[in-house]
């Protein structure tokens, strides 16, 4: 910690524990691309995957089969998922005093302006369009790592 950094601030790069990443994604190919990109990344991480919005909320609230799940340091959220879409997950997170503090990066194939606007209206921290091809996808994951895990100061974990 630097002299001008308050004790309540933390950078994920300073943590000795692995970074906990929740990926809410229903496309098996995108799950595999993300998993591979994080495995090849520079940060020690645990990637947790849920395949729909209902499971995402259960994981985040540590309910049912996710009772022992860790609190993620960051959520990567697809918009188009079964049972509950990404915007609905954002709405649920907004209403929860603990979950609303978690950084959420929307990582989706949609470039629709209404999806971008709606995501930010519901407190998404970033909106990224999934690139085509593994190398471009890996580049996006590296940028996520660099920004969220090295530069950003986050509130203390609960």
């Amino acid at each position: 910690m630097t002299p001008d950094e308050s004790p309540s601030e933390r950078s994920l790069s300073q943590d000795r524990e692995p970074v906990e990443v929740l990926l809410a994604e229903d496309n098996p190919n995108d799950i595999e691309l993300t998993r591979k990109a994080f495995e090849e990344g520079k940060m020690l991480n645990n990637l947790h995957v849920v395949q729909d919005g209902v499971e995402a909320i259960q994981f985040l609230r540590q309910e049912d089969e996710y009772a022992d799940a860790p609190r993620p340091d960051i959520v990567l959220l697809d918009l188009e998922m079964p049972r509950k879409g990404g915007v609905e997950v954002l709405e649920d997170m907004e209403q929860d005093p603990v979950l609303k503090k978690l950084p959420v990066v929307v990582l989706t194939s949609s470039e629709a302006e209404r999806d971008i606007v709606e995501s930010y209206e519901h407190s998404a921290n970033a909106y990224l369009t999934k690139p085509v091809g593994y190398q471009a996808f890996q580049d996006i994951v590296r940028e996520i790592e660099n920004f969220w895990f090295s530069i950003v100061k986050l509130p203390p974990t609960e």
Side-chain angles (χ1 to χ4, degrees):
M1 183 166 43
T2 63
D4 54 343
E5 180 180 30
S6 79
S8 64
E9 291 179 327
R10 67 186 180 100
S11 171
L12 293 177
S13 66
Q14 296 170 344
D15 292 348
R16 297 203 188 284
E17 297 296 315
V19 174
E20 302 293 340
V21 179
L22 176 61
L23 173 64
E25 171 64 67
D26 65 316
N27 181 314
N29 293 330
D30 289 343
I31 292 169
E32 190 55 36
L33 279 174
T34 305
R35 187 179 312 280
K36 187 175 176 187
F38 270 102
E39 285 173 359
E40 294 176 6
K42 65 180 181 177
M43 300 295 297
L44 183 61
N45 66 78
N46 293 320
L47 181 66
H48 307 275
V49 179
V50 294
Q51 295 189 10
D52 66 51
V54 171
E55 289 180 7
I57 291 299
Q58 288 173 335
F59 187 101
L60 291 168
R61 291 185 177 151
Q62 299 169 314
E63 297 174 340
D64 301 329
E65 67 184 279
Y66 302 106
D68 295 326
R71 179 78 64 213
D73 294 302
I74 191 168
V75 178
L76 303 180
L77 181 65
D78 186 29
L79 292 183
E80 299 298 323
M81 295 183 293
R83 299 203 297 165
K84 182 180 281 211
V87 171
E88 292 171 289
V89 171
L90 288 169
E91 290 171 345
D92 286 355
M93 291 179 72
E94 267 184 314
Q95 302 306 312
D96 186 301
V98 174
L99 300 183
K100 73 180 182 180
K101 295 177 187 174
L102 295 175
V104 178
V105 175
V106 172
L107 185 58
T108 189
S109 55
S110 173
E111 294 185 32
E113 186 175 317
R114 70 172 167 70
D115 287 340
I116 297 167
V117 169
E118 195 169 26
S119 294
Y120 282 115
E121 284 177 345
H122 292 291
S123 303
N125 299 94
Y127 190 103
L128 303 173
T129 303
K130 292 177 191 171
V132 177
Y134 176 69
Q135 185 59 52
F137 203 91
Q138 188 177 33
D139 292 344
I140 288 286
V141 168
R142 271 202 196 102
E143 292 302 321
I144 290 170
E145 283 184 336
N146 286 335
F147 184 73
W148 286 105
F149 304 157
S150 299
I151 298 170
V152 171
K153 300 286 187 219
L154 298 171
T157 56
E158 304 269 331

